[in-house]
């Protein structure tokens, strides 16, 4: 544990795996947890983006970068086992990797079902819906040993309907899966938290960030709060929006 960093958490020294940790919410969470003295493994599909993140974030003794596709079982399982091999245990796994296909940002009032491109939908559905299930399957045995926590990144789009929006439906699936998972995981001593961000200023928006969007650091703080819950306490749902968000 590195206690020389400022802002050290009272419960430092956990090992946390974050899928999609090279940008946006995942990267902000990785930075926060490293600053607090934790060990962090991050995944992403793009090796260049991963290298840029690792070069920038520092703490090479406590960070592990893994090229892995969250929608692929072998990649996900290997990411979990590599994290445990490198750091000795797993205390938390964060299913953060997620995308909205580009047609969600250019179809206007047609909505993605009428105006979108079905070729773009499969990677989104597999990453957003299958991905958290694959991570849970790979991580649960290790989290049972550590009495750890799974964090699923849902969305306000997963608790509010929007016309013809398939991304939103993938996030409804995440919110539903989080509760199904909680009912199972709690019998094994594992906590489950779903974090539902509102509009956050990240690359997710394909360059069309809403003016009211807030910085990803606030979502990272909410995730850190979930990870810092004392033994025996399960924090289940956090919804965090910028002030002024209309939905
Ligand atoms: N931004 C918002 O307003 C907002 C609101 C609510 C919920 N969310 C959710 O927050 C999560 C993080 O999104 P973000 O806003 O931080 O977006 P982002 O800045 O685009 O970051 C997405 C990260 O996920 C990685 N990724 C994407 N698909 C992946 C896959 N199949 N396997 C592994 N890594 C993958 C990306 O790297 P590579 O492309 O290199 O793989 C990147 O590191 C997502 O689940 C998103 O749905 C975002």
């Amino acid at each position: 544990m590195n206690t020389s960093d400022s802002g050290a958490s009272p419960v430092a020294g956990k090992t946390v795996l974050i899928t999609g940790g090279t940008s946006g919410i995942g990267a902000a969470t990785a930075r926060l947890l490293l600053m607090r003295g934790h060990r962090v493994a991050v995944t992403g599909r793009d090796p260049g983006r991963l290298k840029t993140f690792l070069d920038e974030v520092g703490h090479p003794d406590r960070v592990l970068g893994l090229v892995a596709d969250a929608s692929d079982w072998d990649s996900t399982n290997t990411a979990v086992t590599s994290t445990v091999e490198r750091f000795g245990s797993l205390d938390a796994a964060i299913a953060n990797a997620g995308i909205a296909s580009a047609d969600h940002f250019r179809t206007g009032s047609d909505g993605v079902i009428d105006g979108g491109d079905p070729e773009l939908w499969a990677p989104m559905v597999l990453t957003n819906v299958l991905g958290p299930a694959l991570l849970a399957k790979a991580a649960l045995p290790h989290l049972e040993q550590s009495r750890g926590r799974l964090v699923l990144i849902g969305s306000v789009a997963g608790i509010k309907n929007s016309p013809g929006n398939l991304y939103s439906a993938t996030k409804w699936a995440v919110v539903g899966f989080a509760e199904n998972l909680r009912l199972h995981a709690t019998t094994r001593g594992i906590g489950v938290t779903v974090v539902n961000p509102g509009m956050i200023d990240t690359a997710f928006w394909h360059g069309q960030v809403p003016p009211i969007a807030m910085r990803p650091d606030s979502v990272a703080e909410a995730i850190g709060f979930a990870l810092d819950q004392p033994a025996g306490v399960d924090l289940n749902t956090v919804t965090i929006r910028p002030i002024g968000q209309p939905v």
Side-chain angles (χ1 to χ4, degrees), residues 12-18 37-42 62 64 66 77-94 138-149:
K14 292 179 177 171
T15 297
V16 182
L17 169 63
I18 307 171
H38 300 296
R39 298 170 292 273
V40 176
V42 299
R62 288 188 286 115
L64 174 66
L66 299 156
N77 198 32
T78 300
V80 169
T81 53
S82 300
T83 302
V84 174
E85 278 168 21
R86 166 72 186 272
F87 295 126
S89 64
L90 184 69
D91 299 291
I94 304 176
L140 280 176
H142 303 286
L143 297 176
E144 187 166 11
Q145 283 182 21
S146 62
R147 301 187 79 76
R149 176 168 300 279

Side-chain angles (χ1 to χ4, degrees), residues 22-23 25 45-46 49 69-70 96 167 171 198 200 202 205:
T22 61
S23 169
I25 292 168
R45 293 165 303 176
D46 186 287
R49 206 167 8 245
D69 186 334
N96 168 74
Y167 167 78
K171 291 299 182 174
I200 313 299
T202 72
W205 290 94

Side-chain angles (χ1 to χ4, degrees), residues 48-64:
R49 206 167 8 245
L50 179 63
K51 183 180 183 315
T52 300
F53 173 75
L54 294 173
D55 289 347
E56 171 261 329
V57 79
H59 305 287
D61 53 326
R62 288 188 286 115
V63 70
L64 174 66

Side-chain angles (χ1 to χ4, degrees), residues 171-229:
K171 291 299 182 174
W172 278 85
V174 173
V175 172
F177 180 60
E179 177 62 6
N180 290 0
L181 197 55
R182 185 193 69 75
L183 292 169
H184 170 67
T186 197
T187 67
R188 297 170 65 171
I190 301 164
V192 176
T193 303
V194 59
V195 175
N196 295 317
M199 295 167 174
I200 313 299
D201 184 355
T202 72
F204 168 89
W205 290 94
H206 296 249
Q208 298 180 46
V209 180
I212 60 162
M214 63 186 190
R215 291 174 50 76
D217 309 65
S218 298
V219 184
E221 290 281 356
I223 294 167
F225 180 66
L227 299 186
D228 278 349
Q229 292 305 302

Side-chain angles (χ1 to χ4, degrees), residues 123-165:
M124 174 181 68
V125 173
L126 292 175
T127 299
N128 297 8
V129 180
L130 183 64
L134 297 179
L135 183 66
K137 178 170 174 58
L140 280 176
H142 303 286
L143 297 176
E144 187 166 11
Q145 283 182 21
S146 62
R147 301 187 79 76
R149 176 168 300 279
L150 266 159
V151 177
L152 279 61
I153 305 303
S155 175
V156 167
I159 56 173
K160 295 280 185 181
N161 289 103
S162 48
N165 189 309

